[in-house]
Amino acid sequence: MSLELFDLTGKTALVTGGTHGLGMAIATALAEAGAKIIVNDILQEKLDKAKAQYTEKGIDAATYLFDVTNESQVIEYLQRIEKEVGPVDILVNNAGIIKRIPILEMEVEDFRQVLDIDVVGPFIMAKHVVKSMLSRKSGGKIINMCSMMSEVSRNTVSAYAAAKGGLKMLTKEMADEWARFGIQANGIGPGYFATEQTAPIRVGGHPFNEFIIKRTPARRWGEPEELAGAAIFLASKASDFVNGHVLYVDGGILATLGSHAGEE
Ligand code: NAP
Ligand code: GCO
């Protein structure tokens, strides 16, 4: 019985922003666990490149160009996806952006854009995916990509922290409203992972790189593939009684205040 709990054969998973980074790693893991995968993006060239990369992995990924913040596009494309691929059983709200600007220097529009993509987008996506799940009485899985900033702040990422903190609470709201219908809504909270999004603070000798390595008990950045287990768990039967939980995959960051100089 045990390993069958993690088998996603016959399931269809939509990973927003799944053309690279953590989304591609998660989509790949779900595919390797048996799911049919669909990814979206807002740039056609990234979809084309990703499709070729998935094909090289032996994965037949369906790709769609739409913006998770545009409700009419989301409705249109979810209908197309249902016709062309099949109903979505697993939604991973992965699409997201960050802007690293001190509050006093941040324009309101910048703040709004981060909130729009990082928390309104997941709201729009989940609302319409769940409407289909309810109409089919199929149950389903919602996985929201939270963050260390769902729990703690750091300077210059106010909009992102407000969004990811909100996304954690939205996840709990989703769990509260939908668990009774066999739909589990949970979050994954990655620590610091090596992707395009963190490249500006990780490469080229940026001081943040040394800071975060010391701040992480595992003393390293995470690799996107290290989210596979958490993603498969929250997408599978193995988590059918897990609701409103954020599973942190952070090398131990949230477990500690950090080590002082004498304890390298
Ligand atoms: P990433 O490399 O920046 O990828 C984000 C993806 O989202 C990109 O494919 C991007 O498309 C897409 N996207 C952005 N706006 C969109 C929109 N409006 N509609 C559809 N797709 C959109 O980020 P990542 O590092 O892989 O992180 C993925 C998720 O995990 C994000 O939510 C991030 O906040 C979260 N996270 C990351 C880390 C980390 O250390 N990397 C840690 C914790 C949480 P384009 O490339 O075409 O813009
Ligand atoms: C930053 C990083 C983080 C990570 C992640 C940590 O500038 O601090 O980009 O926000 O992306 O969210 O969990």
Side-chain angles (χ1 to χ4, degrees):
M1 170 66 176
S2 57
L3 286 181
E4 286 166 18
L5 284 172
F6 300 90
D7 184 357
L8 300 180
T9 303
K11 299 295 183 184
T12 299
L14 168 56
V15 181
T16 64
T19 58
H20 59 268
L22 302 189
M24 176 168 268
I26 287 173
T28 299
L30 300 183
E32 289 172 352
K36 166 73 182 162
I37 61 160
I38 304 154
V39 299
N40 86 310
D41 202 292
I42 46 176
L43 293 174
Q44 189 58 51
E45 56 266 33
K46 291 205 175 177
L47 284 170
D48 296 343
K49 181 179 175 190
K51 185 155 181 79
Q53 290 171 322
Y54 281 115
T55 301
E56 279 171 26
K57 298 169 190 256
I59 297 169
D60 176 19
T63 59
Y64 289 89
L65 181 74
F66 67 90
D67 179 341
V68 297
T69 67
N70 182 321
E71 188 171 30
S72 56
Q73 277 188 21
V74 169
I75 293 168
E76 176 195 347
Y77 277 87
L78 286 178
Q79 286 169 350
R80 265 189 63 183
I81 286 169
E82 198 149 323
K83 283 198 193 79
E84 296 170 6
V85 181
V88 173
D89 303 298
I90 302 157
L91 170 64
V92 181
N93 278 313
N94 169 77
I97 66 167
I98 191 168
K99 291 180 185 285
R100 301 181 180 99
I101 307 166
I103 294 172
L104 295 181
E105 297 165 30
M106 183 178 270
E107 298 298 333
V108 171
E109 270 325 294
D110 284 324
F111 191 89
R112 281 203 176 97
Q113 187 189 17
V114 175
L115 271 291
D116 206 21
I117 295 168
D118 292 11
V119 65
V120 178
F123 168 83
I124 293 170
M125 286 300 303
K127 175 183 171 185
H128 292 290
V129 165
V130 164
K131 278 186 177 179
S132 170
M133 289 174 176
L134 292 177
S135 68
R136 292 180 285 114
K137 295 185 171 55
S138 66
K141 301 284 185 177
I142 309 293
I143 301 171
N144 295 321
M145 293 302 284
C146 295
S147 160
M148 294 293 93
M149 276 74 224
S150 298
E151 298 295 342
V152 291
S153 71
R154 86 171 184 87
N155 63 320
T156 77
V157 294
S158 60
Y160 185 83
K164 294 298 187 178
L167 185 57
K168 175 182 75 171
M169 291 315 298
L170 178 59
T171 301
K172 294 174 188 289
E173 284 290 335
M174 290 176 180
D176 181 78
E177 293 190 17
W178 298 334
R180 73 201 69 183
F181 303 112
I183 297 166
Q184 291 82 47
N186 292 287
I188 292 176
Y192 280 82
F193 280 73
T195 70
E196 278 180 26
Q197 190 246 51
T198 56
I201 57 171
R202 176 168 45 87
V203 297
H206 195 289
F208 190 88
N209 177 57
E210 190 179 336
F211 162 72
I212 209 59
I213 288 172
K214 283 187 178 163
R215 183 65 183 77
T216 305
R219 296 289 186 271
R220 63 179 176 85
W221 290 76
E223 289 302 325
E225 294 69 28
E226 293 183 287
L227 292 176
I232 292 169
F233 169 62
L234 291 176
S236 68
K237 282 192 66 58
S239 60
D240 277 2
F241 202 53
V242 179
N243 287 305
H245 181 75
V246 178
L247 179 49
Y248 289 101
V249 185
D250 66 356
I253 291 176
L254 291 180
T256 175
L257 272 175
S259 309
H260 65 70
E263 295 168 354
E264 292 311 312

